[in-house]
Amino acid sequence: MVEKIVKDYLQSSLGIPVRLEEEDNLGNEYVLIEKTGSGGEDHIKRATLVIQSYSTSLYGAASLNERVKAAMGKIIELDDISRCELNTDYNYTDTARKKYRYQAVYDIVHY
């Protein structure tokens, strides 16, 4: 499951909570990962992952997003990941819950 691979990698790289779903008491900065699409052919799988960076300020969320992008730029070093490409990233502040967040969308090819 590529989500678990990315979760464990980012948790280790960033040193903050990285989860696949929201939990109570995650702290002021954390990252959520969600798979929004997938496919595959000839035993090679593709996935689109959304990585949301949460913080207490817009600047904090943007800074965390940059840290996520730097870490994801090196995820190709893992044996299970053969390609990781940033599709887009943008401010995605949750106005209903008044939480600052940035969102980065990645296209990943994995085994």
Side-chain angles (χ1 to χ4, degrees):
M1 188 165 91
V2 70
E3 302 98 301
K4 174 94 167 82
I5 294 167
V6 173
K7 175 203 169 299
D8 292 345
Y9 174 78
L10 286 178
Q11 179 95 32
S12 174
S13 297
L14 300 174
I16 61 170
V18 178
R19 301 292 187 267
L20 301 178
E21 60 184 308
E22 188 112 24
E23 299 173 6
D24 293 334
N25 303 319
L26 285 175
N28 291 330
E29 277 196 334
Y30 59 95
V31 171
L32 294 181
I33 298 172
E34 179 181 349
K35 182 164 67 172
T36 60
S38 65
E41 187 176 316
D42 296 329
H43 305 288
I44 298 175
K45 301 174 186 175
R46 294 184 317 275
T48 301
L49 296 184
V50 171
I51 303 174
Q52 297 177 344
S53 302
Y54 285 84
S55 190
T56 57
S57 69
L58 187 57
Y59 177 78
S63 295
L64 180 54
N65 181 63
E66 291 300 317
R67 289 174 50 206
V68 165
K69 292 190 318 185
M72 289 298 288
K74 297 177 183 174
I75 198 169
I76 192 73
E77 296 170 359
L78 298 179
D79 290 338
D80 292 336
I81 306 293
S82 60
R83 192 183 95 202
C84 180
E85 185 175 310
L86 177 65
N87 181 306
T88 188
D89 69 316
Y90 47 90
N91 176 4
Y92 193 56
T93 297
D94 185 343
T95 55
R97 297 185 320 154
K98 298 181 181 176
K99 286 192 166 193
Y100 294 107
R101 71 180 169 191
Y102 257 68
Q103 181 162 291
V105 181
Y106 282 89
D107 297 316
I108 298 174
V109 176
H110 61 100
Y111 297 101

